[in-house]
Amino acid sequence: MEKITPKIKYLGFYQLIGGIIGILNTIRFLPNFTQINGGIFLLLLAIFLLYSFSVFCGYLLLKKRNIEGLNLSIYNQLIQIVGFGVLGYAFHFTAGVYGGIKLNLTNDTIINFMFGHSMARIDINNLNGFTEISINFIAIILLNLIFNLKSEVEKVAEA
């Protein structure tokens, strides 16, 4: 258990800090809205809830509630793997660091590399009409790490 504890702690801090940065980034952009109607309020609420979920996952891991924290962290990372935009609808979410590729399929197939931190985008009926898909490799790596940590924690719990 001594070898896996620091990894779980680092993962907890990563998710906690990534969620907090995302919340702060979202708050920073609130003054850009001249008016917040019901639809925008719901989108902002969804973004805040997603970032809060990441903070909660990190909190559980730091409080050594490992099984529960790792189980929820799996869902947290699954949400962050694939982003898309099609027919005016889009979803991209990352709490922490993202890095991967984005395929823009609007007119031609254009491959872009992407790298950054804590971002959220939810479009509903946006008129720009772009078509894209993105894959976050860092979330895939973290998901693999979480499954390995979960396996190790379960082995220690059985012993």
Side-chain angles (χ1 to χ4, degrees):
M1 185 70 173
E2 291 176 20
K3 286 175 70 176
I4 59 175
T5 303
K7 291 178 186 175
I8 291 174
K9 191 175 181 180
Y10 295 141
L11 178 64
F13 277 120
Y14 172 82
Q15 292 184 112
L16 184 76
I17 292 168
I20 290 171
I21 289 172
I23 289 170
L24 293 175
N25 279 342
T26 306
I27 290 171
R28 184 175 60 124
F29 286 111
L30 284 178
N32 294 342
F33 292 102
T34 55
Q35 179 181 358
I36 297 180
N37 61 26
I40 291 174
F41 175 77
L42 288 175
L43 291 177
L44 289 171
L45 180 63
I47 290 169
F48 278 114
L49 288 173
L50 286 169
Y51 283 128
S52 297
F53 181 62
S54 182
V55 169
F56 182 65
C57 291
Y59 169 80
L60 288 175
L61 294 174
L62 292 174
K63 289 296 181 181
K64 298 183 177 160
R65 294 169 57 186
N66 294 338
I67 296 295
E68 185 180 6
L70 291 170
N71 283 335
L72 291 178
S73 294
I74 289 169
Y75 295 113
N76 188 29
Q77 293 307 313
L78 281 172
I79 294 168
Q80 300 178 49
I81 291 175
V82 176
F84 67 90
V86 64
L87 300 173
Y89 296 90
F91 178 81
H92 298 273
F93 173 75
T94 304
V97 177
Y98 64 88
I101 59 170
K102 182 186 294 187
L103 297 173
N104 184 332
L105 306 168
T106 306
N107 294 322
D108 293 329
T109 301
I110 302 169
I111 298 175
N112 295 313
F113 294 98
M114 54 181 203
F115 186 78
H117 64 84
S118 293
M119 61 81 82
R121 177 180 185 170
I122 301 175
D123 289 342
I124 296 177
N125 208 18
N126 190 343
L127 299 177
N128 67 10
F130 66 92
T131 303
E132 67 182 22
I133 187 162
S134 61
I135 307 293
N136 180 357
F137 294 128
I138 293 176
I140 293 171
I141 292 166
L142 286 172
L143 189 62
N144 185 48
L145 172 73
I146 292 166
F147 277 120
N148 290 336
L149 288 171
K150 186 177 173 208
S151 175
E152 291 178 37
V153 168
E154 288 172 344
K155 284 180 189 173
V156 169
E158 290 174 3

